Amino acid sequence: MSSDSFSLLWSLLAPALLGILVLRRFALQPRQVGLAYPGWVWTCGCLYLALGLFLYQCLGLGPETWWTAPFVLAIPTLLVSRAKFMGRIDSAPTALPWPFLIFVGLLLTLSLISLISAGSLLVIETDEARIWAAKAKLIYLSPGFGNEFASGLQSLPHSDYPLLNPLLQAWMFSQAGEVLHSANRLPVLVFSLALICIAAGAVLRALKPLYVCLLLVLLVDSEVFRVLSQRAYSDLMVATGCLLAFDAWSRWRKSKLEAHAAMASAGMALALWSKNDASLFLLAAILALLVFCIERRSWSSLPRSPWLFLPLGILLLQLIFNAVFGLSNDLLGDNPEGSSLLSLLFSQFGDRIGPIANYILDYGLLSPATQGIFLVFAVALLILPLRCFRGELYLPTATIGLSLLGCLLVYAGSYQNLIWHLDTSAGRLLFQLTPFAFLWLAMLLRRIAPALSA
Amino acid sequence: MLLEPGNRLRSQLFLGLILVWAGWQCLSAVPRVFWQEPGENLRALPQALNPDPRQLYLPLALSPEMVAIIREELPADGELLLFRRTDLAAQNIAAEEEALDRQVLRCSQFFFPLVVQGVGDTAAAGAAIAQRKPPLVMDYNQTVGEALFADYEIASELPQYRLWRRKSGS
């Protein structure tokens, strides 16, 4: 095995092994988590490793020392007792039919071929090069967040965007010992496999394997999924994080295990550190929860776990980082117009709402990016409004609805040319919510047609 | 009994719509997921496992003809000498031109192999050509005078870029 192959293998194995250790710390075993286990492992491992690398950067430890990070990060996971996280398994594991496992394996294999074949095109164009890989190169080539890094940031577009994706790519550079031009995508692309695993495991908790297969095919066939499984954008990471957050949250509702609350927080933290859009989704979820608790005059439905501060901590970390380097978001005022989202929202809303509504009708509802899942969402709200907002469906329904409303307001208040902004980002933005919406649909189907559920 | 007892018309209607939607989407998805996309990806695998580093020229927004010439004529270990003006930032230039210049800057800033940072004045450019004798030279917006290219001929030309090829025997 050549040193290149070895470093590549090590670069991908390290976050996976860290993820296994993190889940082990929470006493989460493969038989308990099910098919979603590899997805949870990859998500937690990447988040944990990136946090470690961020700390190394803050301490001025250059990329030549980064190989030690997985070993240093492994220590706390081995030292802390996992006894307090032990709990009952929420449902007895049952053997899955082998045709279903073969089907999921086939989808994973096809996605693996897809992500490997992405190497035929180097990272040279579009946002994956200009925003994400460029920032990764800057991190790698200007160790320690010093003056060189600060001046380099000024030449990057959207330099305020979160650091998780660039840190993972910089990790690949550091282990290869040089700037890479295609293999740096891999840790981001592996999230396509993680997404399939988490979706399969999550939907299987609601529906029979046959119907899970149908929904998985629709998810994998999404036009945006196919693009994102070959390009190192951060939208796939947001989608994976949101899906994990909701999957773990719904498990927590049944199990009340702190480990599930921690996993939900890890998913949301991953989404928030991947792209700013996730903060909109978090805000929607918090609003939905607040309305629920205020209406019930009871806060008992909220988990009391310190891990819930993890997403807020990540958000704060990125805000402090941006403040230190004087970075701000273009939508919030750092743009040629000098106008913030809120001020433009009021002045432009009347002019823009018509074109946005047209766009939603023409593209949004029937988009190949989302397979029409939001048309299904809208139809369900019209036909079955009470069922959509009852019990375990309340939170996802309200979160998806408020998130879509928030997206609409962002486009209405954007300083960018509206059609250009919609054309270049709406598909990816909607896809971030698509796997979450598929899980919502599975839960709705379980509610209205119990015969479809496992 | 598919539907929950007590479910009424609306649930049946929704389930019917889901059936039509999922059936329609799946019918169109299956050939793409299991045949077309894997076929394309499998065809791309050999190149993916051994990618051509010269793709790295693409961020320069070159024409396909220029890329073809560079691919054909530049040795694998060769370097493309790129001249660009260094004083663009001080000038009131068009946004498009500035964007192009930033692309060029990024290439050099982030160490794309085979692309050498150019120089802004004629003397330095002449020295670089005399020293390196590169097979190809790219001149961005005619940064340096044509007199420097006595041993070269224009291989391809765009409004922003001129690609000079070394004359045979020189």
Side-chain angles (χ1 to χ4, degrees), chain A residues 116-117 120-122 124 155 218 221 226 230 371 383 387 447-448, chain B residues 1 4 7 10 18 21 25 29 32-33 37 41 48 55 58 109 111:
Chain A
I116 294 173
S117 71
S120 63
L121 284 178
L122 304 185
I124 50 172
S155 67
L218 295 185
D221 182 52
R226 284 184 275 141
Q230 296 195 312
Q371 302 284 35
I383 299 179
R387 282 184 178 276
R447 172 75 67 80
I448 63 173
Chain B
M1 186 82 168
E4 182 185 338
N7 268 354
R10 284 187 296 180
I18 288 291
W21 164 75
Q25 295 281 7
R32 272 196 301 269
V33 172
E37 285 286 322
N41 291 334
Q55 283 179 46
L58 288 174
Q109 187 179 357
F111 304 92

PDB file of all heavy atoms in Angstrom, chain A residues 116-117 120-122 124 155 218 221 226 230 371 383 387 447-448, chain B residues 1 4 7 10 18 21 25 29 32-33 37 41 48 55 58 109 111:
ATOM      1  N   ILE A 116     -16.749   8.229  -5.559  1.00  0.00           N
ATOM      2  CA  ILE A 116     -15.381   7.991  -6.048  1.00  0.00           C
ATOM      3  C   ILE A 116     -15.212   8.596  -7.443  1.00  0.00           C
ATOM      4  O   ILE A 116     -14.194   9.213  -7.754  1.00  0.00           O
ATOM      5  CB  ILE A 116     -15.064   6.480  -6.072  1.00  0.00           C
ATOM      6  CG1 ILE A 116     -15.039   5.923  -4.649  1.00  0.00           C
ATOM      7  CG2 ILE A 116     -13.717   6.224  -6.744  1.00  0.00           C
ATOM      8  CD1 ILE A 116     -14.907   4.418  -4.577  1.00  0.00           C
ATOM      9  N   SER A 117     -16.248   8.451  -8.270  1.00  0.00           N
ATOM     10  CA  SER A 117     -16.141   8.965  -9.645  1.00  0.00           C
ATOM     11  C   SER A 117     -16.061  10.483  -9.676  1.00  0.00           C
ATOM     12  O   SER A 117     -15.660  11.063 -10.679  1.00  0.00           O
ATOM     13  CB  SER A 117     -17.319   8.480 -10.489  1.00  0.00           C
ATOM     14  OG  SER A 117     -18.497   9.142 -10.086  1.00  0.00           O
ATOM     15  N   SER A 120     -12.956  12.477 -10.964  1.00  0.00           N
ATOM     16  CA  SER A 120     -12.584  12.767 -12.360  1.00  0.00           C
ATOM     17  C   SER A 120     -12.568  14.268 -12.619  1.00  0.00           C
ATOM     18  O   SER A 120     -11.965  14.728 -13.577  1.00  0.00           O
ATOM     19  CB  SER A 120     -13.537  12.064 -13.327  1.00  0.00           C
ATOM     20  OG  SER A 120     -14.842  12.559 -13.150  1.00  0.00           O
ATOM     21  N   LEU A 121     -13.270  15.031 -11.798  1.00  0.00           N
ATOM     22  CA  LEU A 121     -13.225  16.493 -11.918  1.00  0.00           C
ATOM     23  C   LEU A 121     -12.569  17.066 -10.675  1.00  0.00           C
ATOM     24  O   LEU A 121     -12.958  16.743  -9.555  1.00  0.00           O
ATOM     25  CB  LEU A 121     -14.642  17.060 -12.056  1.00  0.00           C
ATOM     26  CG  LEU A 121     -15.302  16.899 -13.416  1.00  0.00           C
ATOM     27  CD1 LEU A 121     -16.696  17.464 -13.385  1.00  0.00           C
ATOM     28  CD2 LEU A 121     -14.485  17.581 -14.505  1.00  0.00           C
ATOM     29  N   LEU A 122     -11.582  17.898 -10.870  1.00  0.00           N
ATOM     30  CA  LEU A 122     -10.878  18.467  -9.730  1.00  0.00           C
ATOM     31  C   LEU A 122     -11.692  19.614  -9.134  1.00  0.00           C
ATOM     32  O   LEU A 122     -12.608  20.144  -9.765  1.00  0.00           O
ATOM     33  CB  LEU A 122      -9.504  18.956 -10.175  1.00  0.00           C
ATOM     34  CG  LEU A 122      -8.626  17.895 -10.836  1.00  0.00           C
ATOM     35  CD1 LEU A 122      -7.246  18.454 -11.118  1.00  0.00           C
ATOM     36  CD2 LEU A 122      -8.507  16.652  -9.980  1.00  0.00           C
ATOM     37  N   ILE A 124     -12.202  22.886  -8.749  1.00  0.00           N
ATOM     38  CA  ILE A 124     -11.690  24.117  -9.354  1.00  0.00           C
ATOM     39  C   ILE A 124     -12.767  25.162  -9.595  1.00  0.00           C
ATOM     40  O   ILE A 124     -12.452  26.315  -9.854  1.00  0.00           O
ATOM     41  CB  ILE A 124     -11.006  23.820 -10.711  1.00  0.00           C
ATOM     42  CG1 ILE A 124     -11.915  22.972 -11.583  1.00  0.00           C
ATOM     43  CG2 ILE A 124      -9.660  23.180 -10.515  1.00  0.00           C
ATOM     44  CD1 ILE A 124     -11.402  22.803 -12.983  1.00  0.00           C
ATOM     45  N   SER A 155      -9.718  37.953   0.990  1.00  0.00           N
ATOM     46  CA  SER A 155      -9.859  37.699  -0.450  1.00  0.00           C
ATOM     47  C   SER A 155     -10.856  36.580  -0.737  1.00  0.00           C
ATOM     48  O   SER A 155     -11.084  36.236  -1.892  1.00  0.00           O
ATOM     49  CB  SER A 155      -8.504  37.349  -1.055  1.00  0.00           C
ATOM     50  OG  SER A 155      -8.060  36.110  -0.545  1.00  0.00           O
ATOM     51  N   LEU A 218     -36.546   7.559  -3.775  1.00  0.00           N
ATOM     52  CA  LEU A 218     -36.919   8.946  -4.080  1.00  0.00           C
ATOM     53  C   LEU A 218     -35.869   9.919  -3.542  1.00  0.00           C
ATOM     54  O   LEU A 218     -35.513  10.890  -4.218  1.00  0.00           O
ATOM     55  CB  LEU A 218     -38.285   9.276  -3.473  1.00  0.00           C
ATOM     56  CG  LEU A 218     -39.464   8.508  -4.048  1.00  0.00           C
ATOM     57  CD1 LEU A 218     -40.770   9.017  -3.465  1.00  0.00           C
ATOM     58  CD2 LEU A 218     -39.500   8.637  -5.558  1.00  0.00           C
ATOM     59  N   ASP A 221     -32.672   9.699  -5.615  1.00  0.00           N
ATOM     60  CA  ASP A 221     -32.871  10.179  -6.986  1.00  0.00           C
ATOM     61  C   ASP A 221     -32.979  11.700  -7.063  1.00  0.00           C
ATOM     62  O   ASP A 221     -32.957  12.270  -8.150  1.00  0.00           O
ATOM     63  CB  ASP A 221     -34.141   9.556  -7.582  1.00  0.00           C
ATOM     64  CG  ASP A 221     -34.344   9.994  -9.019  1.00  0.00           C
ATOM     65  OD1 ASP A 221     -33.395   9.861  -9.810  1.00  0.00           O
ATOM     66  OD2 ASP A 221     -35.430  10.506  -9.345  1.00  0.00           O
ATOM     67  N   ARG A 226     -27.867  14.036  -6.037  1.00  0.00           N
ATOM     68  CA  ARG A 226     -26.884  13.495  -6.977  1.00  0.00           C
ATOM     69  C   ARG A 226     -25.719  14.463  -7.175  1.00  0.00           C
ATOM     70  O   ARG A 226     -24.575  14.053  -7.313  1.00  0.00           O
ATOM     71  CB  ARG A 226     -27.556  13.152  -8.311  1.00  0.00           C
ATOM     72  CG  ARG A 226     -28.371  11.860  -8.209  1.00  0.00           C
ATOM     73  CD  ARG A 226     -28.953  11.458  -9.532  1.00  0.00           C
ATOM     74  NE  ARG A 226     -30.223  12.132  -9.767  1.00  0.00           N
ATOM     75  CZ  ARG A 226     -30.614  12.602 -10.934  1.00  0.00           C
ATOM     76  NH1 ARG A 226     -29.837  12.517 -11.979  1.00  0.00           N
ATOM     77  NH2 ARG A 226     -31.788  13.171 -11.061  1.00  0.00           N
ATOM     78  N   GLN A 230     -21.377  14.467  -5.156  1.00  0.00           N
ATOM     79  CA  GLN A 230     -20.119  14.537  -5.909  1.00  0.00           C
ATOM     80  C   GLN A 230     -19.386  15.870  -5.734  1.00  0.00           C
ATOM     81  O   GLN A 230     -18.330  16.073  -6.323  1.00  0.00           O
ATOM     82  CB  GLN A 230     -20.397  14.318  -7.411  1.00  0.00           C
ATOM     83  CG  GLN A 230     -20.955  12.927  -7.707  1.00  0.00           C
ATOM     84  CD  GLN A 230     -20.879  12.576  -9.164  1.00  0.00           C
ATOM     85  OE1 GLN A 230     -21.271  13.367 -10.006  1.00  0.00           O
ATOM     86  NE2 GLN A 230     -20.379  11.396  -9.467  1.00  0.00           N
ATOM     87  N   GLN A 371     -38.141  16.249  -5.045  1.00  0.00           N
ATOM     88  CA  GLN A 371     -39.055  15.177  -5.472  1.00  0.00           C
ATOM     89  C   GLN A 371     -40.505  15.502  -5.155  1.00  0.00           C
ATOM     90  O   GLN A 371     -41.320  14.606  -4.993  1.00  0.00           O
ATOM     91  CB  GLN A 371     -38.681  13.834  -4.826  1.00  0.00           C
ATOM     92  CG  GLN A 371     -37.273  13.385  -5.116  1.00  0.00           C
ATOM     93  CD  GLN A 371     -37.100  12.840  -6.509  1.00  0.00           C
ATOM     94  OE1 GLN A 371     -37.732  13.323  -7.444  1.00  0.00           O
ATOM     95  NE2 GLN A 371     -36.256  11.851  -6.675  1.00  0.00           N
ATOM     96  N   ILE A 383     -55.408  18.801   3.675  1.00  0.00           N
ATOM     97  CA  ILE A 383     -56.373  17.708   3.832  1.00  0.00           C
ATOM     98  C   ILE A 383     -56.453  17.213   5.279  1.00  0.00           C
ATOM     99  O   ILE A 383     -57.532  16.887   5.771  1.00  0.00           O
ATOM    100  CB  ILE A 383     -56.009  16.533   2.886  1.00  0.00           C
ATOM    101  CG1 ILE A 383     -56.047  16.996   1.433  1.00  0.00           C
ATOM    102  CG2 ILE A 383     -56.974  15.371   3.062  1.00  0.00           C
ATOM    103  CD1 ILE A 383     -55.692  15.916   0.428  1.00  0.00           C
ATOM    104  N   ARG A 387     -54.301  16.130  12.061  1.00  0.00           N
ATOM    105  CA  ARG A 387     -53.358  15.020  12.250  1.00  0.00           C
ATOM    106  C   ARG A 387     -51.912  15.498  12.160  1.00  0.00           C
ATOM    107  O   ARG A 387     -51.032  14.987  12.839  1.00  0.00           O
ATOM    108  CB  ARG A 387     -53.609  13.938  11.197  1.00  0.00           C
ATOM    109  CG  ARG A 387     -54.808  13.084  11.522  1.00  0.00           C
ATOM    110  CD  ARG A 387     -54.948  11.972  10.518  1.00  0.00           C
ATOM    111  NE  ARG A 387     -56.077  11.146  10.875  1.00  0.00           N
ATOM    112  CZ  ARG A 387     -56.002  10.158  11.754  1.00  0.00           C
ATOM    113  NH1 ARG A 387     -54.863   9.888  12.345  1.00  0.00           N
ATOM    114  NH2 ARG A 387     -57.068   9.449  12.045  1.00  0.00           N
ATOM    115  N   ARG A 447     -49.181   7.156  11.037  1.00  0.00           N
ATOM    116  CA  ARG A 447     -50.332   7.616  11.816  1.00  0.00           C
ATOM    117  C   ARG A 447     -51.658   7.281  11.116  1.00  0.00           C
ATOM    118  O   ARG A 447     -52.598   6.801  11.742  1.00  0.00           O
ATOM    119  CB  ARG A 447     -50.209   9.133  12.020  1.00  0.00           C
ATOM    120  CG  ARG A 447     -51.416   9.788  12.651  1.00  0.00           C
ATOM    121  CD  ARG A 447     -51.509   9.512  14.135  1.00  0.00           C
ATOM    122  NE  ARG A 447     -50.419  10.137  14.886  1.00  0.00           N
ATOM    123  CZ  ARG A 447     -50.408  11.432  15.227  1.00  0.00           C
ATOM    124  NH1 ARG A 447     -51.414  12.196  14.907  1.00  0.00           N
ATOM    125  NH2 ARG A 447     -49.402  11.910  15.905  1.00  0.00           N
ATOM    126  N   ILE A 448     -51.700   7.559   9.795  1.00  0.00           N
ATOM    127  CA  ILE A 448     -53.008   7.401   9.134  1.00  0.00           C
ATOM    128  C   ILE A 448     -53.227   5.985   8.598  1.00  0.00           C
ATOM    129  O   ILE A 448     -54.364   5.593   8.372  1.00  0.00           O
ATOM    130  CB  ILE A 448     -53.200   8.422   7.981  1.00  0.00           C
ATOM    131  CG1 ILE A 448     -52.180   8.208   6.863  1.00  0.00           C
ATOM    132  CG2 ILE A 448     -53.169   9.834   8.494  1.00  0.00           C
ATOM    133  CD1 ILE A 448     -52.446   9.075   5.656  1.00  0.00           C
TER     134      ILE A 448
ATOM    135  N   MET B   1     -56.534  -4.613   6.144  1.00  0.00           N
ATOM    136  CA  MET B   1     -57.137  -3.314   6.509  1.00  0.00           C
ATOM    137  C   MET B   1     -56.023  -2.273   6.547  1.00  0.00           C
ATOM    138  O   MET B   1     -55.252  -2.188   7.495  1.00  0.00           O
ATOM    139  CB  MET B   1     -57.780  -3.453   7.902  1.00  0.00           C
ATOM    140  CG  MET B   1     -58.557  -2.230   8.338  1.00  0.00           C
ATOM    141  SD  MET B   1     -60.190  -2.218   7.642  1.00  0.00           S
ATOM    142  CE  MET B   1     -60.905  -0.893   8.620  1.00  0.00           C
ATOM    143  N   GLU B   4     -56.334   3.012   9.311  1.00  0.00           N
ATOM    144  CA  GLU B   4     -56.705   2.927  10.716  1.00  0.00           C
ATOM    145  C   GLU B   4     -58.238   2.966  10.817  1.00  0.00           C
ATOM    146  O   GLU B   4     -58.860   3.797  10.153  1.00  0.00           O
ATOM    147  CB  GLU B   4     -56.104   4.129  11.430  1.00  0.00           C
ATOM    148  CG  GLU B   4     -56.346   4.183  12.890  1.00  0.00           C
ATOM    149  CD  GLU B   4     -55.802   5.489  13.460  1.00  0.00           C
ATOM    150  OE1 GLU B   4     -54.929   6.091  12.816  1.00  0.00           O
ATOM    151  OE2 GLU B   4     -56.274   5.891  14.512  1.00  0.00           O
ATOM    152  N   ASN B   7     -60.717   6.092  10.286  1.00  0.00           N
ATOM    153  CA  ASN B   7     -60.244   7.088   9.327  1.00  0.00           C
ATOM    154  C   ASN B   7     -61.307   7.333   8.279  1.00  0.00           C
ATOM    155  O   ASN B   7     -61.960   6.423   7.822  1.00  0.00           O
ATOM    156  CB  ASN B   7     -58.981   6.602   8.635  1.00  0.00           C
ATOM    157  CG  ASN B   7     -57.755   7.083   9.377  1.00  0.00           C
ATOM    158  OD1 ASN B   7     -57.867   7.849  10.316  1.00  0.00           O
ATOM    159  ND2 ASN B   7     -56.621   6.624   8.943  1.00  0.00           N
ATOM    160  N   ARG B  10     -60.852  11.777   4.084  1.00  0.00           N
ATOM    161  CA  ARG B  10     -59.670  12.616   3.842  1.00  0.00           C
ATOM    162  C   ARG B  10     -58.368  11.813   3.927  1.00  0.00           C
ATOM    163  O   ARG B  10     -57.440  12.024   3.164  1.00  0.00           O
ATOM    164  CB  ARG B  10     -59.647  13.792   4.823  1.00  0.00           C
ATOM    165  CG  ARG B  10     -60.652  14.853   4.415  1.00  0.00           C
ATOM    166  CD  ARG B  10     -60.518  16.076   5.250  1.00  0.00           C
ATOM    167  NE  ARG B  10     -60.832  15.813   6.650  1.00  0.00           N
ATOM    168  CZ  ARG B  10     -60.787  16.730   7.599  1.00  0.00           C
ATOM    169  NH1 ARG B  10     -60.414  17.949   7.299  1.00  0.00           N
ATOM    170  NH2 ARG B  10     -61.094  16.445   8.836  1.00  0.00           N
ATOM    171  N   ILE B  18     -50.719  10.075  -2.245  1.00  0.00           N
ATOM    172  CA  ILE B  18     -49.342   9.626  -1.972  1.00  0.00           C
ATOM    173  C   ILE B  18     -48.985   8.459  -2.884  1.00  0.00           C
ATOM    174  O   ILE B  18     -47.876   8.384  -3.432  1.00  0.00           O
ATOM    175  CB  ILE B  18     -49.215   9.181  -0.489  1.00  0.00           C
ATOM    176  CG1 ILE B  18     -49.262  10.395   0.423  1.00  0.00           C
ATOM    177  CG2 ILE B  18     -47.946   8.394  -0.245  1.00  0.00           C
ATOM    178  CD1 ILE B  18     -48.052  11.285   0.321  1.00  0.00           C
ATOM    179  N   TRP B  21     -48.346   9.824  -6.306  1.00  0.00           N
ATOM    180  CA  TRP B  21     -47.099  10.599  -6.318  1.00  0.00           C
ATOM    181  C   TRP B  21     -45.886   9.675  -6.225  1.00  0.00           C
ATOM    182  O   TRP B  21     -44.954   9.757  -7.032  1.00  0.00           O
ATOM    183  CB  TRP B  21     -47.116  11.580  -5.144  1.00  0.00           C
ATOM    184  CG  TRP B  21     -45.774  12.174  -4.808  1.00  0.00           C
ATOM    185  CD1 TRP B  21     -45.109  13.137  -5.504  1.00  0.00           C
ATOM    186  CD2 TRP B  21     -44.930  11.821  -3.703  1.00  0.00           C
ATOM    187  NE1 TRP B  21     -43.905  13.414  -4.890  1.00  0.00           N
ATOM    188  CE2 TRP B  21     -43.778  12.627  -3.780  1.00  0.00           C
ATOM    189  CE3 TRP B  21     -45.056  10.923  -2.642  1.00  0.00           C
ATOM    190  CZ2 TRP B  21     -42.748  12.541  -2.852  1.00  0.00           C
ATOM    191  CZ3 TRP B  21     -44.028  10.850  -1.716  1.00  0.00           C
ATOM    192  CH2 TRP B  21     -42.890  11.651  -1.830  1.00  0.00           C
ATOM    193  N   GLN B  25     -43.131   9.014  -9.158  1.00  0.00           N
ATOM    194  CA  GLN B  25     -41.738   9.402  -8.927  1.00  0.00           C
ATOM    195  C   GLN B  25     -40.815   8.188  -9.017  1.00  0.00           C
ATOM    196  O   GLN B  25     -39.733   8.258  -9.595  1.00  0.00           O
ATOM    197  CB  GLN B  25     -41.591  10.045  -7.535  1.00  0.00           C
ATOM    198  CG  GLN B  25     -42.334  11.350  -7.351  1.00  0.00           C
ATOM    199  CD  GLN B  25     -41.591  12.531  -7.972  1.00  0.00           C
ATOM    200  OE1 GLN B  25     -40.594  12.359  -8.640  1.00  0.00           O
ATOM    201  NE2 GLN B  25     -42.105  13.722  -7.774  1.00  0.00           N
ATOM    202  N   ALA B  29     -37.736   7.324 -11.369  1.00  0.00           N
ATOM    203  CA  ALA B  29     -36.446   7.339 -10.666  1.00  0.00           C
ATOM    204  C   ALA B  29     -35.627   6.074 -10.921  1.00  0.00           C
ATOM    205  O   ALA B  29     -34.402   6.144 -11.029  1.00  0.00           O
ATOM    206  CB  ALA B  29     -36.684   7.501  -9.165  1.00  0.00           C
ATOM    207  N   ARG B  32     -32.922   5.971 -13.594  1.00  0.00           N
ATOM    208  CA  ARG B  32     -31.816   6.900 -13.287  1.00  0.00           C
ATOM    209  C   ARG B  32     -30.931   6.356 -12.180  1.00  0.00           C
ATOM    210  O   ARG B  32     -29.708   6.352 -12.290  1.00  0.00           O
ATOM    211  CB  ARG B  32     -32.380   8.267 -12.836  1.00  0.00           C
ATOM    212  CG  ARG B  32     -32.648   9.234 -13.964  1.00  0.00           C
ATOM    213  CD  ARG B  32     -32.817  10.632 -13.419  1.00  0.00           C
ATOM    214  NE  ARG B  32     -33.897  10.753 -12.470  1.00  0.00           N
ATOM    215  CZ  ARG B  32     -35.145  11.080 -12.806  1.00  0.00           C
ATOM    216  NH1 ARG B  32     -35.441  11.298 -14.068  1.00  0.00           N
ATOM    217  NH2 ARG B  32     -36.076  11.174 -11.889  1.00  0.00           N
ATOM    218  N   VAL B  33     -31.582   5.874 -11.090  1.00  0.00           N
ATOM    219  CA  VAL B  33     -30.818   5.449  -9.912  1.00  0.00           C
ATOM    220  C   VAL B  33     -30.020   4.173 -10.167  1.00  0.00           C
ATOM    221  O   VAL B  33     -28.879   4.044  -9.733  1.00  0.00           O
ATOM    222  CB  VAL B  33     -31.769   5.246  -8.706  1.00  0.00           C
ATOM    223  CG1 VAL B  33     -31.039   4.612  -7.528  1.00  0.00           C
ATOM    224  CG2 VAL B  33     -32.369   6.569  -8.288  1.00  0.00           C
ATOM    225  N   GLU B  37     -27.258   6.744 -14.020  1.00  0.00           N
ATOM    226  CA  GLU B  37     -26.235   7.379 -13.183  1.00  0.00           C
ATOM    227  C   GLU B  37     -25.060   6.431 -12.899  1.00  0.00           C
ATOM    228  O   GLU B  37     -23.907   6.821 -13.070  1.00  0.00           O
ATOM    229  CB  GLU B  37     -26.847   7.849 -11.863  1.00  0.00           C
ATOM    230  CG  GLU B  37     -27.682   9.089 -11.982  1.00  0.00           C
ATOM    231  CD  GLU B  37     -26.848  10.339 -12.177  1.00  0.00           C
ATOM    232  OE1 GLU B  37     -25.775  10.435 -11.565  1.00  0.00           O
ATOM    233  OE2 GLU B  37     -27.277  11.205 -12.951  1.00  0.00           O
ATOM    234  N   ASN B  41     -21.194   7.054 -13.881  1.00  0.00           N
ATOM    235  CA  ASN B  41     -20.166   7.084 -12.832  1.00  0.00           C
ATOM    236  C   ASN B  41     -19.094   6.029 -13.063  1.00  0.00           C
ATOM    237  O   ASN B  41     -17.905   6.277 -12.836  1.00  0.00           O
ATOM    238  CB  ASN B  41     -20.819   6.867 -11.459  1.00  0.00           C
ATOM    239  CG  ASN B  41     -21.673   8.062 -11.056  1.00  0.00           C
ATOM    240  OD1 ASN B  41     -21.432   9.172 -11.505  1.00  0.00           O
ATOM    241  ND2 ASN B  41     -22.676   7.829 -10.234  1.00  0.00           N
ATOM    242  N   ALA B  48     -11.258   9.170 -12.652  1.00  0.00           N
ATOM    243  CA  ALA B  48     -11.327   9.612 -11.254  1.00  0.00           C
ATOM    244  C   ALA B  48     -10.150   9.073 -10.448  1.00  0.00           C
ATOM    245  O   ALA B  48      -9.639   9.738  -9.563  1.00  0.00           O
ATOM    246  CB  ALA B  48     -12.632   9.143 -10.628  1.00  0.00           C
ATOM    247  N   GLN B  55      -6.447  19.941 -15.445  1.00  0.00           N
ATOM    248  CA  GLN B  55      -7.777  20.565 -15.258  1.00  0.00           C
ATOM    249  C   GLN B  55      -7.664  21.832 -14.418  1.00  0.00           C
ATOM    250  O   GLN B  55      -8.541  22.668 -14.429  1.00  0.00           O
ATOM    251  CB  GLN B  55      -8.696  19.624 -14.506  1.00  0.00           C
ATOM    252  CG  GLN B  55      -9.280  18.500 -15.310  1.00  0.00           C
ATOM    253  CD  GLN B  55     -10.146  17.648 -14.405  1.00  0.00           C
ATOM    254  OE1 GLN B  55     -10.942  18.154 -13.650  1.00  0.00           O
ATOM    255  NE2 GLN B  55      -9.971  16.354 -14.478  1.00  0.00           N
ATOM    256  N   LEU B  58      -8.498  25.325 -15.594  1.00  0.00           N
ATOM    257  CA  LEU B  58      -9.865  25.771 -15.882  1.00  0.00           C
ATOM    258  C   LEU B  58     -10.310  27.019 -15.117  1.00  0.00           C
ATOM    259  O   LEU B  58     -11.046  27.823 -15.666  1.00  0.00           O
ATOM    260  CB  LEU B  58     -10.855  24.626 -15.645  1.00  0.00           C
ATOM    261  CG  LEU B  58     -10.780  23.519 -16.693  1.00  0.00           C
ATOM    262  CD1 LEU B  58     -11.690  22.374 -16.302  1.00  0.00           C
ATOM    263  CD2 LEU B  58     -11.163  24.039 -18.060  1.00  0.00           C
ATOM    264  N   GLN B 109      -2.411  32.180  -5.531  1.00  0.00           N
ATOM    265  CA  GLN B 109      -2.456  32.238  -4.074  1.00  0.00           C
ATOM    266  C   GLN B 109      -2.568  30.849  -3.459  1.00  0.00           C
ATOM    267  O   GLN B 109      -2.024  30.573  -2.411  1.00  0.00           O
ATOM    268  CB  GLN B 109      -3.652  33.087  -3.664  1.00  0.00           C
ATOM    269  CG  GLN B 109      -3.729  33.372  -2.187  1.00  0.00           C
ATOM    270  CD  GLN B 109      -4.937  34.232  -1.901  1.00  0.00           C
ATOM    271  OE1 GLN B 109      -5.652  34.648  -2.804  1.00  0.00           O
ATOM    272  NE2 GLN B 109      -5.166  34.499  -0.644  1.00  0.00           N
ATOM    273  N   PHE B 111      -1.683  27.966  -4.893  1.00  0.00           N
ATOM    274  CA  PHE B 111      -0.685  26.999  -5.313  1.00  0.00           C
ATOM    275  C   PHE B 111      -1.200  25.918  -6.245  1.00  0.00           C
ATOM    276  O   PHE B 111      -0.941  24.749  -6.040  1.00  0.00           O
ATOM    277  CB  PHE B 111      -0.035  26.350  -4.078  1.00  0.00           C
ATOM    278  CG  PHE B 111       0.548  27.344  -3.146  1.00  0.00           C
ATOM    279  CD1 PHE B 111      -0.198  27.844  -2.100  1.00  0.00           C
ATOM    280  CD2 PHE B 111       1.825  27.833  -3.332  1.00  0.00           C
ATOM    281  CE1 PHE B 111       0.313  28.804  -1.245  1.00  0.00           C
ATOM    282  CE2 PHE B 111       2.339  28.790  -2.482  1.00  0.00           C
ATOM    283  CZ  PHE B 111       1.593  29.280  -1.437  1.00  0.00           C
TER     284      PHE B 111
END
